[in-house]
Amino acid sequence: MDPTGPNASGLPADNLPFGLEPSLAVFDRATLVARGLFGGAQSLIVLVKDGVAWRSRYDEGLPKRDHVAEHVIATGEMLWIEDARVHPLVKDEPLVNGPPHLRTYIAAPIRLQDGTTPGVLAIF
């Protein structure tokens, strides 16, 4: 893969955090499996570095911070939000109250072999 060319998300590879170019194929497979398990849902990988969220897809127009991903990274616990309109963590978020009107949001921590959690697999 050309390190400066676009990845599967259409984002330039030189914008990837952590030198992730080799991981893009794994991210694509993980999100495809997640979408297969939750018919009609979308999925993506969210990584957070220095308070800025990098998303494997659908990044355009989204906020630079992802409070749900930050929460899951901090706790190390999976989060299942059935109705975002009433969940205290996200009920006031623009993506819940306006387009795309997110309702369900599931985030599973991605734990690395060294014990760190740099991000989440998100399904919405």
Side-chain angles (χ1 to χ4, degrees):
M1 172 182 285
D2 174 2
T4 60
N7 59 45
S9 68
L11 300 171
D14 58 357
N15 287 343
L16 298 177
F18 316 112
L20 288 173
E21 294 83 4
S23 301
L24 293 175
V26 174
F27 291 169
D28 283 340
R29 282 192 293 277
T31 57
L32 284 171
V33 169
R35 286 195 309 267
L37 292 172
F38 296 90
Q42 293 297 324
S43 63
L44 53 87
I45 302 291
V46 181
L47 303 175
V48 178
K49 183 175 182 180
D50 300 327
V52 177
W54 174 88
R55 297 168 182 91
S56 62
R57 55 180 88 232
Y58 314 117
D59 200 42
E60 190 172 322
L62 295 179
K64 293 294 182 194
R65 294 196 72 153
D66 187 314
H67 298 290
V68 174
E70 290 175 14
H71 174 81
V72 171
I73 291 167
T75 64
E77 303 275 329
M78 183 176 144
L79 181 65
W80 188 298
I81 298 173
E82 192 166 327
D83 187 348
R85 295 173 295 185
V86 297
H87 194 283
L89 186 62
V90 295
K91 69 181 182 177
D92 296 322
E93 292 286 331
L95 297 175
V96 172
N97 296 307
H101 300 283
L102 293 179
R103 293 299 175 253
T104 300
Y105 191 107
I106 304 162
I110 298 172
R111 290 191 189 92
L112 301 181
Q113 194 170 21
D114 66 4
T116 60
T117 304
V120 302
L121 169 62
I123 303 159
F124 51 94

